[in-house]
């Protein structure tokens, strides 16, 4: 017998109000570059509520003050957004056991989308599945248009990798069919992620 699916917004309100993360998500260490990430242990359907980006809700002024005193490794956990015509920030820099702060950036093919929900007249940053997600997949979303340092680092390393591939290599048989003036860029299959989680 199949369980009745809870409407995504109702599911979000339930988890936000309880201040707890949803079952079916787990933390995994990925590597030194990405750090940790959130992975699914159960399937999710497109549109499903996944989790909340929890932290301390602060004003624009307090956010600016914290930006001046925080180390760079903490600044990446400051999520600034507009709500009700004002600028706000959720400061998730404190390790509190919540999963939302560990969701990585993916500006190429994210599995989730951030939405602001108004619950009891307060904004809550909630992630919803932007496509069907299978067990074992990483939850990620687009952090928005910005010059995130990890995006620049990855794109720079891809360019260096492509250039080094064009240099003659020992024990390499030349292929005269290749046009070395206009090489095909190597497609980046693994998206770029959040550095400091």
């Amino acid at each position: 017998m199949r369980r009745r699916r809870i409407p995504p917004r109702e599911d979000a309100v339930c988890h936000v109000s309880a201040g707890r993360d949803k079952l079916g998500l787990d933390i995994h260490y990925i590597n030194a570059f990405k750090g940790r990430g959130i992975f699914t242990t159960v399937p999710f359907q497109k549109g499903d509520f996944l989790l909340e980006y929890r932290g301390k809700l602060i004003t624009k002024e307090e956010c600016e003050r914290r930006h001046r005193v925080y180390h760079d490794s903490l600044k990446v956990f400051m999520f600034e957004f507009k709500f009700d015509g004002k600028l706000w920030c959720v400061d998730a820099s404190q390790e509190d056991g919540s999963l939302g702060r560990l969701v990585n950036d993916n500006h190429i093919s994210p599995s989730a989308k951030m939405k602001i929900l108004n619950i009891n007249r307060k904004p809550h940053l909630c992630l919803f599945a932007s496509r069907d997600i299978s067990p074992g997949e990483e939850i990620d979303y687009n952090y928005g248009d910005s010059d995130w340092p990890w995006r620049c680092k990855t794109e720079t390393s891809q360019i260096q990798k492509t250039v080094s591939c064009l240099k003659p290599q020992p024990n390499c048989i030349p292929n005269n069919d290749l046009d070395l003036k206009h090489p095909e860029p190597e497609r980046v299959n693994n998206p770029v992620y959040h550095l400091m989680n």
Side-chain angles (χ1 to χ4, degrees), residues 31-47:
N31 59 36
F33 179 68
K34 291 182 190 177
R36 295 173 289 171
I38 302 302
F39 288 78
T40 59
T41 59
V42 298
F44 288 96
Q45 294 178 358
K46 181 178 180 176

Side-chain angles (χ1 to χ4, degrees), residues 146-159 192:
S146 187
D147 293 332
W148 295 105
W150 54 89
R151 286 184 185 176
C152 297
K153 181 177 180 176
T154 298
E155 289 163 7
T156 300
S157 67
Q158 274 305 117
I159 291 167
V192 238

Side-chain angles (χ1 to χ4, degrees), residues 2-148:
R2 225 174 151 177
R3 286 188 324 161
R4 184 177 73 86
R5 185 173 178 229
I6 299 170
R9 190 180 195 307
E10 187 179 316
D11 193 21
V13 170
C14 176
H15 283 88
V16 166
S17 299
R20 63 181 161 81
D21 288 314
K22 191 170 186 162
L23 297 176
L25 301 170
D26 208 4
I27 301 170
H28 290 279
Y29 177 78
I30 301 167
N31 59 36
F33 179 68
K34 291 182 190 177
R36 295 173 289 171
I38 302 302
F39 288 78
T40 59
T41 59
V42 298
F44 288 96
Q45 294 178 358
K46 181 178 180 176
D48 280 352
F49 166 72
L50 299 170
L51 45 80
E52 178 186 12
Y53 188 88
R54 280 198 309 271
K56 180 116 174 104
L57 180 65
I58 57 176
T59 63
K60 175 185 180 259
E61 294 75 24
E62 178 61 15
C63 179
E64 289 170 353
R65 187 192 72 74
R66 290 182 187 194
H67 265 283
R68 287 190 299 273
V69 297
Y70 277 7
H71 184 274
D72 287 345
S73 64
L74 295 178
K75 291 177 186 176
V76 296
F77 293 105
M78 308 280 285
F79 192 115
E80 298 172 53
F81 62 99
K82 214 174 206 178
F83 175 74
D84 251 0
K86 291 169 64 177
L87 287 172
W88 293 93
C89 177
V90 170
D91 179 355
S93 60
Q94 190 167 1
E95 186 81 52
D96 63 358
S98 66
L99 302 179
R101 66 187 299 278
L102 301 177
V103 176
N104 287 310
D105 176 40
N106 179 345
H107 68 290
I108 298 170
S109 58
S111 60
K113 183 171 178 63
M114 186 68 75
K115 294 182 181 182
I116 302 171
L117 295 186
N118 184 345
I119 302 173
N120 298 325
R121 295 188 299 270
K122 283 180 66 179
H124 292 270
L125 303 172
C126 296
L127 282 168
F128 292 85
S130 56
R131 59 174 172 77
D132 289 347
I133 305 170
S134 299
E137 282 192 67
E138 184 177 9
I139 300 296
D140 48 29
Y141 71 101
N142 186 343
Y143 284 12
D145 296 330
S146 187
D147 293 332
W148 295 105

